[in-house]
Amino acid sequence: MKPISICKSILPLLVSIALPAGATLPTVPTPAAQPAPSYGAAGLLQAGFGLVVVLALVFLCAWVMRRVGLQRHGTAQVVKVVASTMVGQRERVVVVEVGNEWLVLGVTPGQVRSLHSMPAQDLPPVETIQLSAMAGNAASAASVFSQKLRESLSKARRTD
């Protein structure tokens, strides 16, 4: 027998064997295309509520950290800032208590310079400081205003 005739006789035999085998394989049904889920007001409300809860937790944690502070337990506070005030846009004067001494420091972005030192004192109550500062500021502002008003009135009289 020739090789071509052998292939022709075997080919129908192989096809007849392969067809029933293919028919017996399990078939997996393809799922029908489902429409995309739509999120209505309930989904948006749930997402918004979750966002509000997370933001509230962040602000609550920040408030607790500010209230409690990040102080280390067991260490004495050697350096304490007593008072601070701005003198310019980037300059400030700071009073620092070290032991039983107050240091008056000039602080700029580039350096810290000691201006004065004095023994530590008791601080007056905060209300007294604020009221005296406001009274001093009001009195000085009123005097400056009245002086400027007198100067401008005297200039107006001279030109007339």
Side-chain angles (χ1 to χ4, degrees):
M1 283 182 90
K2 293 181 182 176
I4 294 178
S5 65
I6 293 176
C7 286
K8 284 184 182 180
S9 63
I10 294 178
L11 186 63
L13 180 65
L14 289 175
V15 170
S16 64
I17 292 173
L19 283 178
T24 58
L25 289 176
T27 58
V28 178
T30 59
Q34 296 178 352
S38 63
Y39 297 105
L44 290 176
L45 185 65
Q46 184 179 7
F49 182 71
L51 179 66
V52 168
V53 168
V54 168
L55 289 175
L57 283 174
V58 167
F59 284 113
L60 178 69
C61 289
W63 178 79
V64 167
M65 294 306 291
R66 199 172 350 149
R67 195 84 166 129
V68 173
L70 295 175
Q71 298 174 354
R72 296 182 189 139
H73 298 289
T75 60
Q77 196 171 7
V78 178
V79 178
K80 185 170 99 176
V81 176
V82 176
S84 174
T85 186
M86 296 292 292
V87 196
Q89 280 187 332
R90 295 178 160 190
E91 299 83 18
R92 62 179 36 227
V93 175
V94 180
V95 179
V96 179
E97 182 177 350
V98 180
N100 290 330
E101 189 174 6
W102 281 0
L103 300 173
V104 181
L105 305 174
V107 180
T108 63
Q111 66 182 2
V112 176
R113 185 170 289 190
S114 176
L115 302 175
H116 185 66
S117 65
M118 60 185 150
Q121 304 170 7
D122 291 331
L123 292 174
V126 176
E127 295 86 20
T128 308
I129 295 172
Q130 289 177 347
L131 290 176
S132 65
M134 286 191 309
N137 288 343
S140 65
S143 66
V144 168
F145 176 74
S146 63
Q147 182 183 2
K148 294 288 184 182
L149 182 62
R150 281 188 210 119
E151 288 175 3
S152 64
L153 288 175
S154 65
K155 285 181 184 177
R157 287 182 189 159
R158 284 185 221 149
T159 57
D160 290 338

